[in-house]
Amino acid sequence: MKIVSRNEELLRDALSRIPQPSSRTSLASCNKLIRFEDISAAAFKIQCGVQKTPCMYSRLSKQYGMDIYLKKEFLQYTGSVKERGVLYLLMSLPQEQQRKGVIVTSDSNFSMAVAYHASQLRIPVFVIMPTSTSPARVKLCREYGAMVISYGSAAKDSQVHARRLAQENGYLYLEEEDSALYLSGLGTVGLEVYEQVPKLDAVIFPAGGHCGLLAGSAAAIKHLNPHISVIGVESESFPVLQQSLKAGHPTEDQACNNHHFYGDVSGACFGSNSLQLTGKLVDQVVAVREEDILISMLRLLEYERATVDAEGAIGLAAVVAGKLPELKGKRVAVVICSGNLELHLLQQCIARALTLDNRVCRFSLVVSDCPGDMSKLLEILAREEARVLDIKQERTFVTSELFTVEVICTVETRDKIHTAQLRNALLERYPTTAWTER
């Protein structure tokens, strides 16, 4: 049995069971595989299985000169919007296949959603993960109810093993793709945003290679109001979607594979259906720098108490970076789609973001190794209201005159203006102060 063809056959059969009205929609000319009625059917079917997440007015609105509403999809049970498409996919499978079970690979948001919702539907679910997967992810997946098997040192090894198990045992091998069922489930986000925020001018979505959320939601929003701008945001490091749109077919950037920080945003473009919908329904796709994403993560943590990953923060990053000046004074919804950031990455990201935001800085200077000179430096820092995070003294390898000490100090400031004031105060007292540039 060829797994991929069997997968497509099952999904096609499931889609044929969805009731289809006789009237044609405006989307029929864009893509015959997904219509507004399909998205509406998905919304009705999954309403009891996923959260209708809030779309709340953000305190960031005043700072960026627009009315910003945040669609908090990271509040889903597994922390990801992927639950919508996964649940609709699983509920639409034939009962015989539900009895046999499904199998997925990796520790992605898609696999986590399959693990949880398959268990909730009492569908046997197996997740094959590489041995390099973090123990926290393995534990979490098992807690969702999946049978987790560690196999292989790379993702390809796990995929080969999963396909072999699927063939031998009759499991359905699932991988994230742009089937009509999956896109329809993801498109329910667009329905909810339109319902929750009246008089919308624009909606911003994460894009990248896995642009199913962008494509499915655009199909819903443009059907309801074609005047609402739909905008996708991806990373400058991996402009997979822009490259694919330019080429007219899905492309793959090998350099972005297995990039832990970007996660699903950095994946290869996974299908022509979502690409076709994106090309015809999305108004623009913009790219942002890694620095903008990190600062966006910091803003969400500070202002919204939302801990999100790069995929969740990348939509707001376009606003933070000033990439969308035409939205000034407009009413804008931003989809925050994922909050699955591992703890060791969270610590690194926030530390780096504070540095990029000019709120943590480092300098070095030379003072006399005499009683009281160090206290004078600390008095200046206290007067300028800088918080000392770390201070070191170097005596042995100082190349200046004898009986001096080099002081290396890391401090926290309020903002860029405060940092500049501190710098001027230090240079006035210590002209040789060297500032570590970020």
Side-chain angles (χ1 to χ4, degrees), residues 23 107 157 290 391:
S23 58
D107 62 342
D157 299 330
E290 184 173 292
I391 190 165

Side-chain angles (χ1 to χ4, degrees), residues 8 25 76 138 248 298 345 355 376 383 404 425:
E8 293 172 350
T25 67
Q76 297 291 353
V138 174
L298 180 63
L345 274 179
T355 304
K376 290 177 183 178
R383 187 175 66 244
T404 58

Side-chain angles (χ1 to χ4, degrees), residues 74 297 300-301 304-309 338-341 343 346:
F74 65 92
M297 292 168 67
L300 287 167
L301 183 61
E304 299 294 331
R305 301 297 183 262
T307 305
V308 303
D309 53 20
S338 176
N340 289 321
L341 186 66
L343 291 178
L346 173 63

Side-chain angles (χ1 to χ4, degrees), residues 7 16 59 67 83-84 87 96 104 116 153 158 177 183 189 209 236 254 276 294 298 333 343 346 358 407 411 415:
N7 194 350
S16 67
R59 289 188 295 158
D67 289 332
E83 287 191 29
R84 295 174 178 269
L87 180 57
E96 177 63 20
V104 291
Y116 172 67
S153 58
S158 300
E177 54 185 17
L183 293 183
V189 174
E236 283 185 358
Q254 294 293 337
Q276 183 181 354
L294 288 168
L298 180 63
L343 291 178
L346 173 63
N358 293 287
V407 179
V411 298
D415 49 33

